[in-house]
Amino acid sequence: MAVDYTVIVVYLAGMLAMGWWGMRRAKSKAEFLVAGRRLGPWMYSGTMAAIVLGGASTIGGVGLGYTHGLSGAWMVFTIGLGLLALSIFFSARIARLRVYTVSEMLDLRYGGRAGVLSGVVMWAYTLMLAVTSTIAYATIFDVLFDMNRTLAIVIGGSIVVAYSTLGGMWSITLTDMVQFVVKTVGVLLLLLPIAVVKAGGFGEMRDKLPDEYFAPLGIGAETIFTYVLIYTFGMLIGQDIWQRVFTARSDKVARYGGTVAGTYCLVYALAGAVIGTAAKVMYPKLPSADAAFATIVKDELPMGVRGLVLAAALAAVMSTSSGALIACATVANNDIWARVRGVVRADSGGGEPHDEVKGNRLFILVMGVAVICVAIALNDVVQALTVAYNLLVAGLLVPILGGLLWRRGTGAGALAAVVAGGVSVVGLMWWYGILANEPIYYGLLTSLVVYVGVSLATPPTDPATLAAWRERVAGRSPEPTAPEASVTA
């Protein structure tokens, strides 16, 4: 394993080095939080694909393939569909807004009436997303070093917190590009063909497994529909995804670069399902489907290659973890704490100017420590992530898409929808169970009915607010923006 250890150590050291380099670039709030809004199509596509394809998409995607065969690709496939929908229909408008958070968009659209509550919901979602990604380090480091769970979480989480705190989005962008390349080589170019060959080829796989392993809808139509509601719609509104859209150099980069990333996700989804199906042939009685990835890597790959593929799994986890961490810190600082601080200053008659980069860096550090502590204490990852996604979709999907698509939507309607959707989905999870499908169905429907009803029952949004909104969406923002050189890669 010495060669494998060397590959992993070099990879981790490289992540820290890029964090140090990013610190030298991040001299302003825009540089630190959204990489100066300067990413060209190559870097934008790679980093967007990296953040959406995390540990759940890699280790979990292989596990679903192990359990359900090729239809196990549907979870990651719906993530790719969501990214495609976001990129084709909404990303250009989002990029032209030139904001930092989803809640800022809601404030612009509705006149500052829904931002605080939406910020709290978004913060809870990004926090749990970062936590569940951080927990995945335990699985990878256990395979590598037979390491204690807590120590693995601390080491993996600390590396992500370190490079994210140092350089913000610039560090995360650079590390994500490396992680994108490592995932492509490790999973698509190495593990996929090796797994198929070791399983005896597709003909042998068809002979040894039931026909339902090769049925496109074998996982079940209801499950696929639920994946669409949670993951496809979740891609449309998550702060971690929007914050990447904000890094695009132009609306065209956001649209076409995101389309490339979404297409890549569809390929990655199928690859994970095929690897899991091959693992089922080789190891038909594994104690856990999630162990399929680690088992096939540990037992079937030659040294060096094994280290690279494990580095690919580590890259998948780190990209999602770092993206969720900076999103969590951005929301906590800009949508929650900044408003509290603004009230305090208004009451006290003002205050001293503050260093926005230093403030955001401090919030990443604090949120990072909190994420590591919660990850150590938490056991049921699936339930935590389900709660986070249910709150996000049921509480925020309708107000956000309504604001983008329906002029008659009002701030009162948006606020009522956030409350009704969030409260109903929590109550329904308590009644039906956290992992049941009904909470997201009825919670989303409740949010939609309340949004439309309250919006129609209240006065329309102020025409001046709508006019300012249209100017921002059209890219004619009155706010001055400093000209900066573009990153064309």
Side-chain angles (χ1 to χ4, degrees):
M1 294 286 288
V3 176
D4 298 324
Y5 292 159
T6 302
V7 171
I8 297 295
V9 170
V10 169
Y11 167 76
L12 294 176
M15 297 299 100
L16 292 174
M18 289 181 186
W20 182 261
W21 184 90
M23 182 176 66
R24 302 173 63 186
R25 293 288 301 266
K27 301 299 185 183
S28 68
K29 179 180 179 180
E31 293 281 354
F32 191 81
L33 293 182
V34 291
R37 307 186 195 275
R38 293 192 284 159
L39 298 192
W42 166 238
M43 291 189 73
Y44 180 85
S45 298
T47 57
M48 183 62 87
I51 189 175
V52 300
L53 296 174
S57 300
T58 304
I59 298 171
V62 171
L64 286 172
Y66 184 88
T67 303
H68 301 286
L70 298 186
S71 68
W74 272 106
M75 184 188 78
V76 184
F77 203 82
T78 56
I79 290 173
L81 292 178
L83 186 51
L84 285 172
L86 174 72
S87 302
I88 294 170
F89 299 113
F90 301 110
S91 63
R93 277 178 281 180
I94 293 170
R96 288 195 293 264
L97 289 174
R98 300 186 71 81
V99 294
Y100 293 97
T101 68
V102 175
S103 294
E104 287 181 46
M105 168 263 167
L106 291 172
D107 278 347
L108 284 171
R109 170 60 181 81
Y110 296 113
R113 301 189 61 183
V116 177
L117 185 58
S118 66
V120 173
V121 173
M122 191 65 76
W123 174 79
Y125 157 72
T126 52
L127 178 71
M128 294 314 301
L129 183 61
V131 166
T132 53
S133 300
T134 302
I135 290 173
Y137 296 128
T139 301
I140 300 169
F141 279 100
D142 179 59
V143 174
L144 281 170
F145 308 114
D146 193 23
M147 187 179 291
N148 173 269
R149 177 183 183 273
T150 298
L151 183 58
I153 290 173
V154 169
I155 291 176
S158 296
I159 292 171
V160 169
V161 172
Y163 73 69
S164 300
T165 301
L166 286 172
M169 187 60 82
W170 268 122
S171 296
I172 293 171
T173 296
L174 294 171
T175 54
D176 277 0
M177 278 305 300
V178 174
Q179 289 158 358
F180 170 73
V181 172
V182 170
K183 279 193 288 192
T184 301
V185 173
V187 175
L188 297 185
L189 302 184
L190 292 176
L191 183 58
L192 175 61
I194 290 174
V196 172
V197 170
K198 292 283 187 177
F202 287 105
E204 188 75 9
M205 291 162 62
R206 287 297 301 260
D207 291 341
K208 290 188 174 181
L209 294 174
D211 289 341
E212 54 263 29
Y213 264 71
F214 303 92
L217 304 180
I219 199 170
E222 184 179 0
T223 298
I224 295 170
F225 181 64
T226 304
Y227 284 160
V228 170
L229 285 183
I230 294 177
Y231 297 114
T232 301
F233 288 157
M235 288 294 106
L236 298 180
I237 59 175
Q239 169 68 25
D240 51 327
I241 309 302
W242 276 44
Q243 198 158 344
R244 294 310 173 96
V245 176
F246 300 150
T247 66
R249 185 180 68 205
S250 66
D251 55 359
K252 290 183 178 180
V253 169
R255 181 184 293 114
Y256 296 116
T259 301
V260 171
T263 304
Y264 178 90
C265 291
L266 304 184
V267 175
Y268 200 89
L270 185 59
V274 171
I275 292 168
T277 304
K280 183 68 175 180
V281 173
M282 291 182 278
Y283 309 99
K285 298 187 181 298
L286 286 177
S288 167
D290 285 341
F293 181 89
T295 302
I296 196 170
V297 169
K298 191 173 184 179
D299 293 350
E300 302 297 335
L301 300 185
M303 68 176 181
V305 173
R306 180 171 50 219
L308 183 59
V309 172
L310 286 173
L314 199 57
V317 174
M318 282 187 161
S319 57
T320 300
S321 180
S322 59
L325 176 59
I326 194 172
C328 177
T330 302
V331 170
N333 189 16
N334 291 270
D335 292 337
I336 301 174
W337 173 244
R339 298 169 192 268
V340 173
R341 187 181 64 224
V343 171
V344 171
R345 287 184 175 177
D347 292 340
S348 62
E352 294 297 324
H354 68 287
D355 184 339
E356 289 190 297
V357 172
K358 183 178 179 180
N360 281 290
R361 184 174 280 135
L362 177 61
F363 264 84
I364 290 180
L365 179 60
V366 172
M367 290 296 106
V369 172
V371 164
I372 292 172
C373 293
V374 174
I376 292 171
L378 195 64
N379 289 319
D380 199 323
V381 180
V382 175
Q383 289 197 5
L385 195 59
T386 301
V387 171
Y389 266 105
N390 282 355
L391 275 173
L392 175 72
V393 174
L396 294 182
L397 178 69
V398 171
I400 292 171
L401 293 188
L404 291 170
L405 299 174
W406 191 39
R407 181 176 177 176
R408 187 60 180 81
T410 66
L415 188 60
V418 173
V419 174
V423 171
S424 62
V425 82
V426 170
L428 290 165
M429 283 190 289
W430 175 81
W431 180 260
Y432 285 103
I434 290 177
L435 299 181
N437 293 328
E438 288 85 356
I440 189 61
Y441 298 163
Y442 300 137
L444 192 55
L445 180 60
T446 300
S447 180
L448 177 61
V449 170
V450 169
Y451 177 74
V452 173
V454 174
S455 291
L456 293 176
T458 52
T461 304
D462 179 62
T465 299
L466 283 178
W469 165 256
R470 287 194 294 269
E471 289 293 304
R472 293 294 286 267
V473 170
R476 298 188 295 265
S477 171
E479 296 181 0
T481 55
E484 295 175 347
S486 295
V487 176
T488 58

